[in-house]
Amino acid sequence: MARVGLVLGAGGVTGGAFHAGVLAALEEGTGWDPRTAEVVLGTSAGSVTGAALRANLGAADLAARAEGSPLSAEGAAIVRAASLSPQTPAPPARPALRWRVGPSAPEVLLAAARRPWATRPTAVVAGLLPQGTVPTAMISEGVGALLGDRWPDRSLWITAVRLRDGRLVVFGRDGSAVRPAEAVAASCAIPSWFAPVVIGGERYIDGGVHSLTNAAQLAGVPLDLVVVSAPLGRAGWQGLHGATRRAARLQLSLEVQRLRRSGVRVLAFQPTREDQLAMGRNAMDASRRAAVVRQARASTLARLDRPDVQAPIDLLRSS
């Protein structure tokens, strides 16, 4: 059987809907159940989706929950047992210009000066931004209700960035004592929006500050195929969020090259032009979720028919 890894990237609320549409289409079109992945690597919105998969919520139910459609009997039982809403809740509103005054972690400049090769410029910028104030309690409470205090038996890796030095940390990989709910909340702590999450006396922020997918973290893991869902990438279009999406696509390209050099096939999904139009400009716009799920499912199903993806698709079918 093929060993498959799953990478779920950052992307806010619409990114979570994109993940749901992609995964539902993969299951529908290939028979592969994303819950069976050897390892799930989640960043920001992807960490929430990854946690839901490891709580045994299937791809079709992830899509239905984002769309506001009825869940399967299995999915409804999982959500009911966790005392969660059948529909994915809207994110907390961002407060209008009520940040704390001054940079959240000016010491990141010293860390960057000491190890410039190890500190991403985006991490330096995040440390110099004012600290956000929106609590992450809604995220941690939801994940805690699904997973409890123990990490799932199947590997779940959650990325976050340590604020004081910009270092990437992968929770769940090294057997740390952090609760999965805390790790997911940290991974989702968008700089200057959410308050950093304090774990073991350290402040952590969104793993997307280091990379929007962090896919290279799976290089060296014994896998046959890595499936990547990258909501903030782009599939060859210059439109919405052009500069950000071009940078994300370049970053993902470099990470995919690293994976392939390690002998792993990669099947990556980035938004098409139609997907991007459905997603709009505001990644936190919950009103677009249903449309994004439907569009991402349709575009993914269409891609599965292309000759250039048949080799990795065959691996999925044999997993």
Side-chain angles (χ1 to χ4, degrees), residues 159-182:
T159 67
V161 168
R162 193 163 63 193
L163 189 55
R164 66 173 169 85
D165 59 4
R167 177 186 172 188
L168 177 71
V169 176
V170 184
F171 293 113
R173 179 170 64 182
D174 303 320
S176 63
V178 175
R179 294 189 304 118
E182 293 176 320

Side-chain angles (χ1 to χ4, degrees), residues 86-102:
Q87 184 173 1
T88 306
R94 181 178 185 173
L97 300 176
R98 293 181 181 176
W99 300 316
R100 296 182 180 179
V101 176

Side-chain angles (χ1 to χ4, degrees), residues 99-122:
W99 300 316
R100 296 182 180 179
V101 176
S104 56
E107 63 270 29
V108 73
L109 286 173
L110 181 58
R114 287 173 174 169
R115 301 181 65 201
W117 62 90
T119 308
R120 297 281 174 95
T122 46

Side-chain angles (χ1 to χ4, degrees), residues 16-17 20 61-69 71 86-88 286 289-291 293:
D61 282 321
L62 288 175
R65 194 164 183 246
E67 285 183 290
S69 302
L71 305 184
Q87 184 173 1
T88 306
R289 273 193 299 228
V293 170

Side-chain angles (χ1 to χ4, degrees), residues 9-11 120 122 208 210-215 228-236 240-256 268-271 276:
R120 297 281 174 95
T122 46
H210 182 268
S211 163
L212 293 172
T213 61
N214 291 297
V228 181
S229 176
L232 290 180
R234 65 178 185 89
L240 300 175
H241 303 298
T244 299
R245 289 190 178 276
R246 282 194 293 275
R249 188 182 188 190
L250 175 60
Q251 186 179 61
L252 177 58
S253 176
L254 294 173
E255 294 180 345
V256 166
F269 294 91
Q270 301 180 74
Q276 292 176 48

Side-chain angles (χ1 to χ4, degrees), residues 10 19 30 65 76 83 89 120 185-186 199 230 299:
H19 290 320
T30 71
R65 194 164 183 246
S83 299
R120 297 281 174 95
I199 300 174
S299 62

Side-chain angles (χ1 to χ4, degrees), residues 134-167:
V134 177
T136 55
M138 186 185 77
I139 298 169
S140 58
E141 288 169 2
V143 174
L146 284 171
L147 289 179
D149 291 338
R150 297 181 58 187
W151 288 85
D153 293 334
R154 287 184 177 269
S155 293
L156 174 64
W157 294 3
I158 304 298
T159 67
V161 168
R162 193 163 63 193
L163 189 55
R164 66 173 169 85
D165 59 4
R167 177 186 172 188

